[in-house]
C-alpha cells in the first residue's frame, strides 16, 4: 500500500479544489509546491493589514452560478467591482470602452454621437482582412481608441509590435454605448473578505501539504508515494524540455509601501503608453475598501520568460501549440498521470474557469473509480 491515493503537484486553485474534492470522497492526498506558500498566483501577503496580491491583481468574476455557490461555501466575498482607469500621456480614461471613454476621447454625449464617431473611425478599415493584431483592432474600434488605449499596453504586454502579433489575440473589443465602467459583464464578482488565502486555506483544510518541494527534482521519490499524480506545472519541464521550450511571458513586480492613505484612488490604473515601462499600478487596499493610514502599490513589468522564472502567459501561436501537442502526446507513456490547470494545459484561465475545470476533473476521476 502506498501512503497516498493522490500526489497533487501545485497548490494553486486547480490543485486545491481537486485536493478538497478528493478528501471529501475519502481519498488520501499529498499536495506539494515549490513555493514557500500555498495558493499559487492568488496568494496574498499581509502588509500591515493590507492584503497584497503578490503575483498581480486577481478579481474573481463568473457567470457560472454553480462555481459562485461553490466558492461562497468557503469564504464570504465582498462587492468589489472592477473599474480600471487608463492613463495615457497624463490623461485618464475609463475602461472598458463605454460612453465615459468616448466622452473623454471626443466629447460626445449621446450613444448616437458615439456610434457615428466609431463608424467614421472604422470606415477606413472596413474592407481589410486583418493580417495582424493592429489591423484587427483598427477594424474593430478605429485609430483613436486603438492608439490611445490598446497599442502601447498590448506591445508592452507581449514584448513586440502589434503588427507582429496574430489577429486572433483580439477576437473582439467590447464597446458599450452606456455609461458603465464595470469591466466584466458577469453577474457575480468580488474579492474574498480577508484575501484569497482564506479561500485556499479552507480548501486545503485537513489536507497534507509540503512546501519548498520541487517535484521535477524529486520526482522518483515523490511518485513512489501515491497511486496517481495530478500535475499542474509546466508540461515541457515535466519532460525536461526534451522537445524544446514552450514560450511564455513573465512578470516582474515592484511593491512599495507609501505613508499616505490613498495613492491613485482606484485599485487598477493601466499605463497605455509604450514609453512607460510598466503596464499598470495596483493599489491593493482598494480591493477591500481599506481605511488604513498607509497604502501599498505594485508596478507590473512584463518581460520575456527565461527558464527558472515564473511563467504567467502562454504564447499561443502555431509553433508553440504544435510543440505543446507533442508534449501532450508523451503523456500516453505515463501511467496514472493526470494534468490540469493554466501551466499544464498551456492556456490562459480565468479563476472561475480553473475551478470549473478542477470540479469537472474531480467529478470524472473520483466518481468513476
Amino acid at each position: 500500500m502506498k501512503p497516498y491515493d493522490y500526489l497533487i503537484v501545485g497548490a494553486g486553485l486547480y490543485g486545491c479544489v481537486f485536493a478538497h474534492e478528493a478528501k471529501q470522497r475519502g481519498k488520501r492526498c499529498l499536495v506539494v509546491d515549490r513555493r514557500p506558500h500555498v495558493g499559487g498566483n492568488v496568494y496574498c501577503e499581509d502588509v500591515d493589514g493590507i492584503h497584497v496580491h503578490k503575483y498581480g491583481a486577481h478579481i474573481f468574476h463568473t457567470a457560472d452560478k454553480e462555481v459562485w455557490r461553490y466558492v461562497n461555501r468557503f469564504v464570504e466575498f465582498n462587492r468589489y467591482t472592477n473599474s480600471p482607469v487608463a492613463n495615457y500621456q497624463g490623461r485618464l480614461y475609463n475602461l472598458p470602452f463605454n460612453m465615459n471613454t468616448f466622452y473623454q476621447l471626443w466629447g460626445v454625449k449621446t450613444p448616437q454621437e458615439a456610434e457615428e464617431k466609431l463608424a467614421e473611425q472604422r470606415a477606413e478599415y472596413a474592407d481589410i482582412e486583418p493580417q495582424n493584431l493592429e489591423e484587427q483592432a483598427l477594424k474593430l474600434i478605429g485609430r483613436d481608441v486603438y492608439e490611445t488605449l490598446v497599442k502601447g499596453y498590448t506591445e508592452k504586454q507581449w514584448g513586440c509590435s502589434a503588427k507582429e502579433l496574430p489577429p486572433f489575440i483580439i477576437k473582439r473589443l467590447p464597446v458599450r454605448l452606456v455609461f458603465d465602467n464595470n469591466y466584466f459583464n458577469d453577474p457575480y464578482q468580488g474579492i474574498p473578505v480577508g484575501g484569497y488565502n482564506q479561500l485556499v486555506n479552507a480548501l486545503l483544510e485537513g489536507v497534507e501539504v509540503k512546501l519548498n518541494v520541487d517535484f521535477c527534482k524529486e520526482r522518483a521519490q515523490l511518485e513512489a508515494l501515491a497511486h496517481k499524480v495530478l500535475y499542474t506545472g509546466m508540461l515541457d519541464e515535466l519532460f525536461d524540455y526534451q522537445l524544446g521550450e514552450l514560450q511564455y511571458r513573465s512578470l516582474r513586480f515592484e511593491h512599495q509601501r507609501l505613508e499616505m492613505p490613498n495613492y491613485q484612488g482606484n485599485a487598477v490604473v493601466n499605463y497605455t503608453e509604450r514609453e512607460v515601462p510598466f503596464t499598470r499600478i495596483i493599489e491593493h487596499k482598494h480591493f477591500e475598501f481599506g481605511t488604513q493610514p498607509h497604502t501599498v502599490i505594485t508596478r507590473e513589468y512584463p518581460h520575456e520568460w527565461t527558464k527558472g522564472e515564473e511563467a504567467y502567459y502562454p504564447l499561443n501561436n502555431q509553433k508553440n501549440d504544435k510543440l505543446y501537442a507533442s508534449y501532450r502526446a508523451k503523456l500516453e507513456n505515463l501511467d496514472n498521470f493526470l494534468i490540469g490547470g493554466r501551466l499544464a494545459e498551456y492556456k490562459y484561465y480565468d479563476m472561475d474557469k480553473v475551478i470549473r475545470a478542477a470540479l469537472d476533473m474531480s467529478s470524472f476521476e473520483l466518481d468513476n473509480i
Side-chain angles (χ1 to χ4, degrees), residues 16-231:
C16 291
V17 169
F18 187 92
H20 177 83
E21 295 301 304
K23 182 178 182 300
Q24 293 297 106
R25 291 165 172 83
K27 302 301 179 184
R28 300 160 298 158
C29 297
L30 172 63
V31 177
V32 299
D33 199 290
R34 63 170 51 149
R35 288 175 172 173
H37 59 73
V38 296
N41 288 349
V42 303
Y43 171 74
C44 295
E45 181 178 15
D46 191 311
V47 179
D48 296 328
I50 297 174
H51 301 116
V52 174
H53 294 208
K54 190 76 173 175
Y55 304 98
H58 285 80
I59 298 106
F60 196 92
H61 60 96
T62 187
D64 189 328
K65 185 178 288 188
E66 184 180 347
V67 166
W68 182 245
R69 287 174 174 168
Y70 182 81
V71 293
N72 275 270
R73 285 166 43 192
F74 302 99
V75 66
E76 178 185 358
F77 280 72
N78 68 21
R79 59 170 184 80
Y80 175 79
T81 300
N82 189 31
S83 302
V85 172
N87 184 314
Y88 178 75
Q89 296 183 351
R91 294 182 62 85
L92 299 180
Y93 301 89
N94 289 109
L95 297 174
F97 314 138
N98 69 78
M99 284 300 299
N100 289 309
T101 321
F102 304 138
Y103 174 74
Q104 291 151 355
L105 274 168
W106 303 314
V108 296
K109 299 180 178 68
T110 67
Q112 182 177 344
E113 290 175 322
E115 189 65 83
E116 289 171 355
K117 190 68 178 178
L118 284 165
E120 174 191 317
Q121 295 261 313
R122 291 165 172 153
E124 183 180 350
Y125 311 98
D127 297 327
I128 67 169
E129 184 62 37
Q131 300 301 307
N132 54 56
L133 184 148
E134 180 167 295
E135 292 178 354
Q136 178 72 77
L138 288 168
K139 186 169 184 174
L140 289 170
I141 41 86
R143 186 164 297 279
D144 286 354
V145 177
Y146 170 67
E147 292 189 345
T148 304
L149 301 173
V150 177
K151 179 179 170 65
Y153 189 94
T154 301
E155 291 182 342
K156 286 188 289 187
Q157 190 73 22
W158 295 103
C160 63
S161 167
K163 294 178 182 178
E164 300 172 37
L165 294 166
F168 71 79
I169 291 179
I170 295 184
K171 296 178 181 178
R172 65 182 183 88
L173 286 170
V175 171
R176 298 179 185 166
L177 297 178
V178 291
F179 292 89
D180 180 6
N181 299 324
N182 182 1
Y183 196 82
F184 301 117
N185 287 318
D186 294 330
Y188 311 111
Q189 182 175 175
I191 302 286
V193 174
Y196 283 96
N197 297 1
Q198 304 295 322
L199 172 61
V200 170
N201 291 339
L203 285 166
L204 291 176
E205 185 175 354
V207 176
E208 188 174 350
V209 177
K210 292 184 179 180
L211 302 174
N212 298 303
V213 174
D214 191 325
F215 172 77
C216 290
K217 291 180 179 178
E218 304 177 39
R219 183 170 172 180
Q221 305 95 300
L222 290 168
E223 280 193 52
L225 297 175
H227 294 285
K228 278 194 172 183
V229 175
L230 169 62
Y231 179 79

Side-chain angles (χ1 to χ4, degrees), residues 303-353:
H303 63 90
E304 185 177 353
W305 175 84
T306 57
K307 196 185 296 185
E309 293 184 303
E310 293 295 339
Y312 288 90
Y313 302 106
L315 281 171
N316 290 115
N317 55 31
Q318 188 174 13
K319 174 187 172 184
N320 284 310
D321 290 346
K322 182 179 179 181
L323 179 58
Y324 174 76
S326 298
Y327 275 120
R328 186 87 186 221
K330 291 174 73 67
L331 285 171
E332 297 176 6
N333 300 322
L334 298 181
D335 293 329
N336 299 319
F337 229 88
L338 308 171
I339 68 164
R342 173 181 57 91
L343 295 177
E345 296 182 59
Y346 197 65
K347 69 181 191 180
Y348 181 81
Y349 262 127
D350 283 328
M351 287 181 286
D352 65 318
K353 302 300 190 300

